[in-house]
Amino acid sequence: MGRYSAGRGRGTGGARNGEDGGSGRGRGRGRAGDHQYRTRHHQQQNWVSGQDGRTQTQWQSRPGQGGPGSGFVRPARGGHGGSGGAGGGREDWGPAGGRFQGHTSTAVSVHSRIEPHNSSPEKLSEPIVSAMQALKISTSSPPEVAGKLVPIKRPDNGGRNYSRRIGLCVNHFPLNYNSGSIIRHYDVDVKPDLPSKNGPPMKFPKAVLSMIRNKLFSDDPDKFPLSMTAYDGKKNIFSAVPLPTGTFKVELSNEEGMKIRHFRVEVQLVNELQFCKLDDYISGKTLSIPRDVLQALDVVMKENPARQMIYACRSFHPTRPYPQDDLGRGITASRGIKHSLKPTTQGLALCLDYSVFPFCKQMPVIDFLKEQIPDFNLNSFRRFRKQVEEVLKGLKVTVTHRTTNQKYKIAGLTDENTQDISFDVENPSDQTPLRKVSLVSYFREKYNKEVMHNNIPSLDLAKSNRKNYVPMEFCMIAGGQRYAKELLDKKQSEKLREISLAWPKVRESTICDMVRDRDGPCSGDITQNFGIGVDVQMTRVTGRVIEPPELKLCTSKGRWTKATLDTVKCDWNLRRNSVISSKPIRLWGVLDFGSFSIEKAIPELISRSERLGIHMGQPLFYKRLQMNLLHDVDNLHQLLESINSESYKIGGTHLQILVCVMPREDPGYNNLKWISETKVGILTQCCLTKNCNRANKDQFLANIAIKINAKLGGSNVELIKQPQCLQSKGHVMFVGADVNHPGSYNSTSPSIAAVVGTMNWPAANQYIARICPQDHRAEKILKFGGMCLELVNAYSRLNQVRPDTIVLFRDGVSDGQFDMVLNEELMDLKMTFEALNYFPTITVVVAQKRHTTRLFLDSDKDENVPPGTVVDTKITHRFGFDFYLCSHYGHIGTSKSAHYHVLWDENGFTSDELQELIYAMCFTCAQCTKPVSLVPPVWYADRAAYRGRLYHDSIEWYQSSASTPSSSSPPSRSSMASFDEQLYKLHPNLENSMFFI
């Protein structure tokens, strides 16, 4: 629910809370030198001798040749393999060298590699070392080399296939710098001048640390030139010139209102970072990413906006919002600049985009209350007190009765009115006893301020049990505070959506303005002082539009026919066609939780399903129920069990589908899904009353029908044939993996991991899912191997054979987590399979949607890039295997392409093959009739992980409601219970279904 995402184009049936789914191989052994390796079909592994005399491991694939399916070299003790030419027509990631001569072939392609490290192997993490030892991967042969998996290199110069080429502008702005320059990295440690003798070291917020840094630099600007440095707000200062080192004393003014004003600041030189290392990496001379240099440049590029703008929601916002973005009621829409640095084929580039968030306007608290609360009147404050507390509690304010930049969080309102508040004050001379003074007198005497509104409560700004009462009239709503989208009214929501989903030309123009803005990352004297320049013109690149796949549907006579795709949107309709396959729906029922009956819509749903080729009988029952039943978990459980028993009595088996109609989006939806899917074993399809009763609901009913069909194991649409690159791979399974994390405000709840996998080859459009809670905010899927093995075993039970090929799509990881995917998750998967003597060929692709790259047509047309647009040159990695693919039609806002990174490939895919495969898969999503914006395994994994989050919310609510206030149980009882895997385990009836769409 974080923000609007523009131009999704996901097709019909978008998911909302309250509605479902929104829219036979041989093994052999061979020897070369003293190294052992396993061989199997499609693969060969090689040791490559580097120019420096050390050994480097390479995986190289030869079509039709043997090789280890596990994808790992198994070296024994001794030297490396025999001599030979460098491999076969494709550039090598590492130094050139020989390869084994155990097989004959003319085509060799590099698909994976192990990166050599100069550090000793004991510096690798224990799990990686132990895993390598278990798989007999050498971590010490020779001693100074440690094996580590790194992303593969692009196997070619990019794709060549296209139906047409188009000119594009991309929001990448090239950086230029002097390769001979250096940036000095200093560590800054701030402590109180008189540290506490007891207790842990004090931690200061970023705002205080920035004040201390500014004071240090302003005290001696000759030695500490502020304009020559950049600060990350924590412990790191980067400087273009040498700075003094040692310990310095800093005193903040009394006006800042700090309890501690005297500090000791220790400055130490950590490193001198050379720009030439970045050049070496971008040019391919070194394979090690100079993260320290990139971090320094990133901080430098953020220094100017950090000084001039407000940092919130991971973006920089203007201090004064635009008048046209006012949403009313004291709320404004704020465009926040997001930018990052990307090493690309054309060099280092600044990638800049923006997001729109609802913010509280910076204004007096009393004025804010007048905006927020209808008919608010200070003279009748008692009548509005509860609403005032709801509006203000938790917000941050600044004070106006003294000069300070400090922000205070509102704890609540005082019990008494301002004129009635008094407290004890110490005499400065400390010779007379405490005297009692009123709050009104205190502000008059100390700050020379008269309190005008003294017959209303003051704000309680207390922190750490220290009283701090301030009259409302001296408080301002602090800038940069996000306002919950859920609290916006309909009019505000519509305007925010309009601003967020800007059309391409508007977004393109706004981005260009932000790059040139005097408060933005490219302005000011900071970047110039570091010798950095930015080309403020967008990068121009040529995109390729690839052909959509051929799809098949069924006719009314039961024969399949080729689907007709719209030439622009690439969508199709089911008006004259039907689904590919379906199961007769005999046992189903309806629960209506709304106040208006939808009984008339039932025959319309049956009729629409029949026209789609889905045979649907009359429901067993239609029950009208109260909405509050969804909040009574025990009674809801009993109801669903009784419904299932009734189905057994009538039809001899469990209910096939239960249609639940709700009047509104409601948290009770979570309870319904958790109980029905984990306790009772009933598939449910939810929808809203207003959609059932609207006049033109043909498309809505069709959406409901195709979702029900997919949940019951039917097939809505299929590719006429799978891409050529998979036709010789045997049984193929597509796997998607994702992790759903709790909100930023939550520090205890588990993260939810989910994996999904296809069960029907070659149609490959029926998925099952496995869900598991894991450590709070752990991005690594901790039981990845076991969860994927469950999918493989299910595939084996359904098809009497294990998959020969697995194409794995991982969602939700950043570039810095690729190492985790390869050396921890993939390692876990390999070890799990190897323990069962199972060696499928595996390809690992990371799909990213939360990036900042935007593609715009290089023309006067205010249109989005067409579906099938691919870019794999200039703005992509120089030697990594990545590409951007816009697979959907952006009917609103600006389309956002998916960014795919191929980290591992034992199947020998070319750029064209993988791009066409992923694009074709985007047409097979079961819940809509158009290509989706993200490859379906990732799409479904995201849905499944989110479903696990709904389970968690229901579990926590149920556990907490079961605990009485007098219970002696610890407060964390419900949180600890939510980590129990059994509470998330699917009922056996649903284990092989697409319950999550």
Side-chain angles (χ1 to χ4, degrees):
M1 303 296 292
R3 57 180 181 270
Y4 287 107
S5 56
R8 297 275 176 136
R10 289 184 173 179
T12 58
R16 298 181 294 184
N17 182 20
E19 290 200 37
D20 287 341
S23 4
R25 294 184 178 274
R27 296 180 63 206
R29 299 183 67 85
R31 296 182 62 85
D34 286 330
H35 292 283
Q36 301 179 31
Y37 63 103
R38 294 187 179 187
T39 61
R40 73 184 293 277
H41 188 55
H42 295 310
Q43 287 286 316
Q44 181 181 4
Q45 298 173 343
N46 295 307
W47 286 85
V48 181
S49 174
Q51 293 173 340
D52 57 0
R54 296 179 299 191
T55 304
Q56 176 179 353
T57 306
Q58 295 276 349
W59 288 277
Q60 298 184 340
S61 170
R62 298 181 180 184
Q65 297 297 324
S70 65
F72 290 101
V73 177
R74 294 173 162 267
R77 290 175 296 175
H80 45 268
S83 61
R90 292 182 180 174
E91 293 181 75
D92 207 319
W93 273 62
R99 69 173 187 270
F100 291 148
Q101 300 298 304
H103 298 271
T104 58
S105 178
T106 57
V108 178
S109 59
V110 177
H111 295 291
S112 316
R113 64 190 177 89
I114 288 185
E115 182 180 272
H117 285 256
N118 294 327
S119 58
S120 57
E122 53 267 23
K123 290 186 179 180
L124 285 172
S125 65
E126 285 187 21
I128 293 178
V129 172
S130 59
M132 289 178 171
Q133 290 170 348
L135 290 169
K136 299 183 178 65
I137 300 177
S138 174
T139 58
S140 58
S141 179
E144 71 274 17
V145 177
K148 188 175 182 181
L149 309 183
V150 293
I152 65 168
K153 182 179 179 180
R154 192 186 306 276
D156 44 40
N157 293 323
R160 297 183 177 181
N161 295 344
Y162 60 90
S163 61
R164 59 189 171 110
R165 291 178 178 269
I166 55 175
L168 300 172
C169 291
V170 187
N171 60 336
H172 284 207
F173 302 90
L175 261 69
N176 54 75
Y177 50 83
N178 184 351
S179 299
S181 299
I182 63 172
I183 294 180
R184 295 159 182 86
H185 177 196
Y186 293 89
D187 178 81
V188 182
D189 188 26
V190 177
K191 296 177 181 178
D193 194 23
L194 296 174
S196 176
K197 295 181 180 179
N198 300 319
M202 292 190 65
K203 293 183 178 180
F204 301 101
K206 280 188 174 183
V208 173
L209 292 174
S210 292
M211 286 191 290
I212 295 171
R213 189 279 298 252
N214 292 340
K215 188 65 167 62
L216 171 66
F217 279 58
S218 63
D219 285 348
D220 194 348
D222 292 333
K223 292 181 179 179
F224 290 97
L226 189 64
S227 62
M228 304 296 287
T229 61
Y231 180 44
D232 71 349
K234 297 177 182 177
K235 286 182 65 68
N236 302 292
I237 287 180
F238 299 95
S239 178
V241 296
L243 300 179
T245 57
T247 302
F248 306 87
K249 291 189 176 183
V250 173
E251 179 182 356
L252 295 181
S253 67
N254 191 34
E255 292 178 342
E256 292 296 342
M258 299 279 295
K259 183 179 178 181
I260 301 173
R261 295 172 43 222
H262 300 271
F263 303 89
R264 284 188 292 112
V265 182
E266 186 176 355
V267 180
Q268 295 294 334
L269 179 65
V270 176
N271 199 1
E272 292 188 346
L273 308 174
Q274 301 176 345
F275 281 28
C276 60
K277 289 184 178 181
L278 188 58
D279 279 351
D280 291 343
Y281 173 70
I282 292 175
S283 64
K285 292 180 181 178
T286 180
L287 306 179
S288 179
I289 302 175
R291 298 195 184 279
D292 51 357
V293 180
L294 285 173
Q295 179 200 7
L297 289 172
D298 184 66
V299 173
V300 170
M301 297 305 298
K302 289 177 178 175
E303 180 67 14
N304 188 61
R307 294 183 188 180
Q308 309 296 336
M309 307 179 80
I310 299 170
Y311 185 74
C313 305
R314 299 183 180 180
S315 51
F316 293 98
H317 296 260
T319 54
R320 294 183 179 179
Y322 299 106
Q324 63 268 28
D325 292 344
D326 192 344
L327 301 178
R329 294 180 51 221
I331 310 301
T332 185
S334 181
R335 295 177 175 88
I337 296 176
K338 302 185 302 181
H339 64 278
S340 59
L341 297 178
K342 289 183 176 292
T344 66
T345 302
Q346 67 171 339
L348 192 64
L350 174 75
C351 184
L352 186 145
D353 194 17
Y354 68 89
S355 294
V356 182
F357 299 92
F359 275 19
C360 297
K361 291 171 69 174
Q362 194 169 350
M363 62 193 308
V365 166
I366 293 176
D367 291 348
F368 184 71
L369 292 175
K370 291 177 180 178
E371 293 265 9
Q372 281 279 299
I373 303 173
D375 303 320
F376 177 73
N377 190 333
L378 285 174
N379 296 326
S380 307
F381 191 91
R382 187 184 296 251
R383 182 160 61 96
F384 298 100
R385 181 183 176 102
K386 186 176 180 180
Q387 290 175 274
V388 170
E389 288 184 314
E390 290 175 351
V391 167
L392 295 182
K393 192 170 183 178
L395 288 180
K396 292 181 179 179
V397 295
T398 56
V399 295
T400 60
H401 61 277
R402 57 187 176 87
T403 304
T404 178
N405 293 323
Q406 196 168 355
K407 296 179 182 179
Y408 303 88
K409 182 179 285 188
I410 300 174
L413 302 180
T414 58
D415 294 331
E416 301 172 297
N417 285 342
T418 303
Q419 62 191 7
D420 301 322
I421 299 173
S422 60
F423 49 91
D424 294 329
V425 178
E426 294 180 356
N427 194 306
S429 63
D430 202 26
Q431 295 176 354
T432 58
L434 298 176
R435 65 188 180 94
K436 190 173 286 292
V437 64
S438 70
L439 187 64
V440 174
S441 300
Y442 180 80
F443 270 78
R444 182 188 301 121
E445 294 171 8
K446 187 171 180 66
Y447 302 112
N448 195 27
K449 297 288 184 180
E450 286 291 338
V451 180
M452 304 302 295
H453 304 290
N454 55 19
N455 59 342
I456 63 173
S458 291
L459 293 183
D460 181 2
L461 308 180
K463 184 180 180 182
S464 303
N465 297 320
R466 293 180 62 206
K467 290 183 178 180
N468 186 9
Y469 300 151
V470 180
M472 275 190 212
E473 61 201 85
F474 300 136
C475 296
M476 296 271 295
I477 299 294
Q481 294 186 84
R482 187 172 175 180
Y483 188 80
K485 260 190 349 179
E486 297 80 13
L487 300 178
L488 297 175
D489 59 33
K490 184 177 180 181
K491 186 176 180 181
Q492 288 175 310
S493 297
E494 289 175 352
K495 186 165 184 181
L496 178 66
R497 179 178 173 85
E498 179 185 339
I499 297 170
S500 302
L501 302 181
W503 284 100
K505 286 301 177 186
V506 174
R507 180 171 288 272
E508 182 180 3
S509 175
T510 303
I511 289 173
C512 290
D513 290 343
M514 288 176 168
V515 169
R516 297 175 174 87
D517 192 279
R518 59 185 180 86
D519 294 338
C522 306
S523 300
D525 54 0
I526 307 295
T527 53
Q528 296 177 11
N529 292 340
F530 279 86
I532 300 170
V534 182
D535 184 349
V536 294
Q537 299 297 324
M538 283 193 177
T539 297
R540 281 179 162 77
V541 66
T542 299
R544 293 178 294 113
V545 181
I546 57 180
E547 291 281 2
E550 294 183 332
L551 305 177
K552 64 179 176 182
L553 298 169
C554 263
T555 65
S556 57
K557 297 180 179 180
R559 299 175 181 176
W560 74 264
T561 182
K562 181 179 175 182
T564 302
L565 300 184
D566 184 270
T567 56
V568 176
K569 300 179 181 180
C570 288
D571 60 357
W572 62 99
N573 66 64
L574 296 171
R575 289 173 186 167
R576 296 183 180 88
N577 298 307
S578 61
V579 299
I580 296 292
S581 65
S582 64
K583 294 181 180 179
I585 304 173
R586 299 183 299 105
L587 303 175
W588 69 288
V590 181
L591 297 183
D592 187 355
F593 294 95
S595 54
F596 299 99
S597 173
I598 57 95
E599 200 165 359
K600 293 181 180 179
I602 293 175
E604 295 177 273
L605 174 61
I606 295 172
S607 173
R608 188 68 184 95
S609 299
E610 287 290 341
R611 297 202 305 274
L612 289 171
I614 304 169
H615 303 294
M616 200 173 195
Q618 292 296 320
L620 298 183
F621 56 83
Y622 170 77
K623 295 180 183 288
R624 298 285 303 278
L625 301 168
Q626 295 296 315
M627 194 69 178
N628 57 12
L629 177 64
L630 294 175
H631 297 270
D632 188 339
V633 172
D634 292 328
N635 283 334
L636 177 63
H637 191 174
Q638 291 177 12
L639 171 69
L640 295 178
E641 289 285 11
S642 66
I643 286 173
N644 222 18
S645 298
E646 187 177 342
S647 174
Y648 269 100
K649 290 178 183 178
I650 298 173
T653 185
H654 60 82
L655 204 66
Q656 290 175 279
I657 192 78
L658 181 63
V659 176
C660 300
V661 185
M662 300 180 185
R664 61 185 179 275
E665 298 174 3
D666 190 273
Y669 173 90
N670 304 352
N671 296 331
L672 175 66
K673 291 297 182 181
W674 178 50
I675 295 298
S676 65
E677 293 170 1
T678 66
K679 307 296 183 187
V680 183
I682 297 178
L683 286 167
T684 57
Q685 177 62 51
C686 297
C687 57
L688 295 175
T689 304
K690 64 180 182 181
N691 293 328
C692 295
N693 289 330
R694 66 189 184 190
N696 184 14
K697 52 179 175 285
D698 186 76
Q699 186 175 355
F700 164 73
L701 294 174
N703 290 339
I704 293 292
I706 63 174
K707 290 171 197 169
I708 290 175
N709 188 51
K711 289 180 179 183
L712 293 176
S715 177
N716 295 333
V717 65
E718 295 177 8
L719 302 176
I720 289 181
K721 62 179 180 180
Q722 286 290 343
Q724 185 69 32
C725 61
L726 293 181
Q727 293 181 14
S728 62
K729 300 293 185 184
H731 278 253
V732 180
M733 183 167 75
F734 299 119
V735 174
D738 193 18
V739 178
N740 180 285
H741 298 293
S744 56
Y745 55 85
N746 187 308
S747 60
T748 58
S749 297
S751 291
I752 309 294
V755 294
V756 301
T758 53
M759 294 291 115
N760 58 333
W761 180 256
N765 61 353
Q766 270 292 323
Y767 290 74
I768 68 171
R770 295 295 181 264
I771 299 169
C772 185
Q774 61 180 35
D775 294 349
H776 175 76
R777 294 215 158 269
E779 183 56 52
K780 173 190 172 184
I781 300 178
L782 301 181
K783 298 186 178 181
F784 187 60
M787 295 174 75
C788 289
L789 181 60
E790 284 193 45
L791 300 181
V792 169
N793 289 339
Y795 190 101
S796 179
R797 287 192 297 270
L798 293 170
N799 300 280
Q800 287 72 53
V801 65
R802 286 172 173 167
D804 302 293
T805 299
I806 294 177
V807 182
L808 168 64
F809 294 91
R810 181 65 160 92
D811 186 26
V813 294
S814 63
D815 296 16
Q817 294 170 318
F818 290 173
D819 178 76
M820 174 202 73
V821 173
L822 284 173
N823 290 289
E824 297 181 50
E825 291 182 346
L826 178 61
M827 188 79 72
D828 183 23
L829 183 66
K830 290 280 187 179
M831 291 176 66
T832 302
F833 288 170
E834 170 135 333
L836 299 174
N837 204 30
Y838 173 46
F839 302 97
T841 54
I842 298 177
T843 295
V844 179
V845 182
V846 168
Q848 294 177 335
K849 203 68 192 289
R850 294 182 179 178
H851 57 82
T852 50
T853 298
R854 296 276 188 165
L855 308 179
F856 302 96
L857 290 177
D858 189 7
S859 70
D860 295 331
K861 295 181 179 179
D862 193 8
E863 298 175 354
N864 277 304
V865 297
T869 299
V870 176
V871 178
D872 58 5
T873 60
K874 203 167 185 178
I875 61 171
T876 52
H877 199 283
R878 181 177 288 274
F879 44 83
F881 191 178
D882 69 316
F883 56 90
Y884 293 90
L885 168 63
C886 180
S887 54
H888 65 293
Y889 174 78
H891 64 284
I892 185 171
T894 306
S895 295
K896 192 171 189 179
S897 305
H899 192 186
Y900 295 97
H901 301 259
V902 188
L903 304 187
W904 181 269
D905 184 25
E906 298 168 9
N907 291 296
F909 292 123
T910 65
S911 293
D912 279 324
E913 289 172 345
L914 206 52
Q915 290 161 10
E916 290 172 6
L917 168 63
I918 291 174
Y919 185 42
M921 291 176 67
C922 291
F923 284 76
T924 63
C925 185
Q927 58 197 69
C928 55
T929 56
K930 59 176 65 177
V932 290
S933 60
L934 208 53
V935 67
V938 166
W939 178 284
Y940 292 143
D942 177 80
R943 299 300 308 163
Y946 180 68
R947 180 60 56 86
R949 177 62 56 198
L950 298 187
Y951 293 170
H952 163 268
D953 292 346
S954 181
I955 292 166
E956 286 222 322
W957 182 86
Y958 178 64
Q959 294 285 350
S960 61
S961 63
S963 301
T964 62
S966 59
S967 172
S968 59
S969 302
S972 61
R973 176 174 178 244
S974 61
S975 294
M976 293 304 295
S978 66
F979 283 82
D980 184 355
E981 293 178 25
Q982 291 303 313
L983 295 175
Y984 299 80
K985 187 173 178 61
L986 295 171
H987 191 280
N989 292 350
L990 272 64
E991 283 185 334
N992 294 332
S993 71
M994 295 180 70
F995 66 93
F996 46 84
I997 66 171

